[in-house]
Amino acid sequence: MDKMESSIQGCTGIRWQVIYVLFSYFCYSISGQIHYSIVEEMRKDSAVANIADDLGLDIKQLSSRKLRIVSRSAERYFYVNLDNGNLYIKDRIDRETLCGTEASCFLTFDAVVENPFKNFNIKVDIQDINDNSPQFYHNSITLEIIEFTSPGARFALQSAEDPDIGSNSVQTYKLSDNQYFTLTEDIRTDGSKYPELVLEKPLDREKQAIHRLILTAVDGGNPIRSGKTLLKIIVVDANDNAPIFMQKMYKVNLKENITVNSTVIMLNATDNDEGVNAQIAYSFIKTSGNIHHTGIFSINPKTGEIKINGVLDIEATKNYELSVQAKDGGGLVAHCKVQVEVIDVNDNAPEISITSLSSSIPEDSAPGTMIALIEVHDQDSGDNADVDCQILEEVPFNLLSSNTYYRLVLSAAIDREKTSSYNITIIATDRGSPPFSSRLVLTLDISDVNDNPPIFAKSSYVAYVPENNLPGASIFSLQASDPDTGDNAKIIYSISNAIKETSSMTSYLSINIETGVLYAQRSFDYEQNKEFIIEVTASDNGSPSLSSNVTLFIHIVDQNDNAPKILYPSSDTGGSAVFEMVPFVSEPGSLITKVVAVDVDSGHNSWLSYHFIQVSDSTHFVISEYTGEIRTSRIFQEKDKLNYKIVVMVKDNGHPTLSATTTLSLIIADDFQQVVPKLSNKLKDKEIQSNLQFYLVVGLALISLLFIITVM
């Protein structure tokens, strides 16, 4: 232990000496408590000790570990310098203000560090210095003594008060020189001294009715301090018995919820005198110790009954000391003290305060992560101050006790996509009867981590696009969802692979990277490309980026954009009609020829039907609508024409309908030799016809002949 002494000479000539005692040692008890000892009235910014060294902390880590003092009272008097780890005096410490006349005076606080969390209990012993002089409450004391009082009689005097303790408090009393009185001291059961005036020789009122003496109280400090009062002694006629209390000290225990006007104690002092000299009046003696308490208590001056006159609160004052005087009619007095100890009643709910709190945590935080540091305090005492804390909801968090603190920690894995925030209700309940409780609701947000890839609703999609579409038109829209938030949920689309293509896919398709809308780069032709199979990737903007793929089948839908093509009769004849020989003896239903056509479209667009649109006599021939077969409808007669011109139309089933036509010339004859005579007879019968018609018929016959020869 190091000691430093300094003396300061004041302008009043009073010598003050402050002993600065610094205990730089520290002792770890089982609970991890550290003790320091300092003297009161140390100057501001005086160093107490290097708390970092005593706690075994690295000075370089004090800021990052957030070393701080946590206390309801000690924060006013101490602070820690994070640069050097020293504990300093923050404000003047007056031991008498803190602890009064208590034998021991301590300031306790917790030194808290984080990362990892740990708290140390610090106990600072405040040592007394002689900074107060003894003081009598009254500047003068009046004492009445009967002149017939025998020598050796003792008279109790009001004691001086010194808020210092031990040797610094009142040690002795002195009386100014005189021939009638001397001074002695007596000790109460609580150890305090009080002076008694001793009569040395009889008084004679006729010689001197009033004696004025100086009573001095001296303490044992260094330097010595003293206080004085005037002792005024009035000599009166015979009242030779002073009141007597049964005890010099009374002790009473009261519950703090005692009702107003309840009786505390009934005091009784006796006096052996008679008449007026035996009439006792009770009163409180006003001292610095109980002047503030007399408003809470009242005393009946005749009966000595003390009652409650106000509300008791153990949190404000734990005990009261009442000084009572009993004075008889002759002026003699007796003193006693009544010590009232207040018993705690559970009338305070626990107080919950947050000393450290995280407003949000990432969803990938590991179990055990500390969320908040919670302090619980109950102003009551005993079992009434014992508090239990718990969480009301079923949430993935636990409370871990650490002395008067609770750590709120994560107990299980969390998923923001399931629960984005938690309302955590903490209830603190004391063990009093009935118990009191308090609640605190903490709101904790869960911050997002990129742990979910974009998801398509289906594993594959099918799109149908008509051919001959406009270039640049939207043909399909793909949408993926991501349960994350922010950049982690921002999706970018791309065509990652063409599973089936005939040329560069970018020349056919493109995709909007933000919306997922697919566009055609050019017009499709069903007859060239009937299907595209592509793979689309959706990637989020997280770090690292997550993605998923989906397959899109694009079917090109055929449009009726191709007219039927007639294969037979061939269109290579240059527009000339095709001749067919029909035997004259053909039976009804005989197959004459067949028109053959194809359509490169598909589906309904390629369904073909065959129709006559121009025929010489429709009653002789019929055509199958679906096969294109031309057959005879009845037996030919001699009077019938020898040739027929038939125009066949082939049309598809599309919308709008497309078609093609061909012309057939049918000649009725069993053989070619029959053709010419019949034609001649016909010409004779029709001489009115022009030569032009004749030449046409002859030409037709020749062409038919050539066709038959070609066929044969």
Side-chain angles (χ1 to χ4, degrees), residues 93-111:
I93 300 176
D94 186 358
R95 186 187 187 281
E96 289 70 37
T97 301
L98 289 176
C99 305
T101 59
E102 296 289 335
S104 299
C105 184
F106 296 92
L107 281 174
T108 61
F109 59 89
D110 288 330

Side-chain angles (χ1 to χ4, degrees), residues 383-398:
D383 291 341
N384 297 329
D386 292 337
V387 181
D388 299 313
C389 277
Q390 61 181 348
I391 300 174
L392 287 185
E393 300 90 354
E394 290 292 333
V395 291
F397 302 97
N398 280 339

Side-chain angles (χ1 to χ4, degrees), residues 87-222:
L87 180 67
Y88 289 96
I89 299 297
K90 186 177 182 181
D91 196 5
R92 171 179 173 269
I93 300 176
D94 186 358
R95 186 187 187 281
E96 289 70 37
T97 301
L98 289 176
C99 305
T101 59
E102 296 289 335
S104 299
C105 184
F106 296 92
L107 281 174
T108 61
F109 59 89
D110 288 330
V112 178
V113 293
E114 297 181 8
N115 303 317
F117 170 80
K118 194 169 184 180
N119 68 295
F120 306 86
N121 185 257
I122 311 298
K123 187 175 184 181
V124 181
D125 183 10
I126 310 301
Q127 299 291 329
D128 182 56
I129 64 172
N130 192 28
D131 58 339
N132 293 281
S133 299
Q135 185 177 2
F136 293 91
Y137 189 82
H138 298 284
N139 293 327
S140 64
I141 300 174
T142 301
L143 185 64
E144 295 179 351
I145 301 178
I146 300 175
E147 61 178 343
F148 297 140
T149 302
S150 301
R154 294 172 177 263
F155 304 93
L157 300 177
Q158 180 180 346
S159 58
E161 295 182 356
D162 191 335
D164 296 324
I165 63 170
S167 61
N168 294 327
S169 65
V170 177
Q171 298 297 313
T172 185
Y173 293 86
K174 296 180 181 180
L175 191 65
S176 59
D177 294 337
N178 68 93
Q179 59 179 329
Y180 292 99
F181 301 96
T182 60
L183 199 64
T184 186
E185 297 173 358
D186 202 353
I187 300 177
R188 298 188 181 93
T189 56
D190 63 347
S192 62
K193 295 181 180 181
Y194 66 95
E196 287 187 339
L197 190 67
V198 181
L199 182 63
E200 293 295 329
K201 68 178 186 178
L203 298 172
D204 188 352
R205 183 180 178 278
E206 285 70 26
K207 290 183 178 181
Q208 186 174 354
I210 299 176
H211 297 266
R212 289 179 174 84
L213 306 174
I214 300 299
L215 178 62
T216 304
V218 181
D219 65 20
N222 186 10

Side-chain angles (χ1 to χ4, degrees), residues 7-17 225:
S7 300
I8 301 175
Q9 185 71 29
C11 61
T12 59
I14 300 175
R15 185 172 178 268
W16 292 79
Q17 186 177 34
R225 295 176 181 271

Side-chain angles (χ1 to χ4, degrees), residues 1 74 86 134 201 211 240 249 260 278 306 308 338 400 472 522 535 551 557 568 576 579 617 619 650 656:
M1 177 178 67
N86 285 339
K201 68 178 186 178
H211 297 266
D240 55 350
M249 179 73 69
V260 176
I306 298 177
I308 289 291
V338 179
L400 301 181
R522 62 183 183 178
E535 191 174 81
T551 301
V557 179
Y568 183 83
S576 301
F579 293 91
D617 191 348
T619 60
V650 182

Side-chain angles (χ1 to χ4, degrees), residues 389-414:
C389 277
Q390 61 181 348
I391 300 174
L392 287 185
E393 300 90 354
E394 290 292 333
V395 291
F397 302 97
N398 280 339
L399 281 175
L400 301 181
S401 175
S402 177
N403 294 332
T404 58
Y405 295 91
Y406 285 88
R407 286 183 295 146
L408 179 65
V409 299
L410 183 65
S411 62
I414 52 179

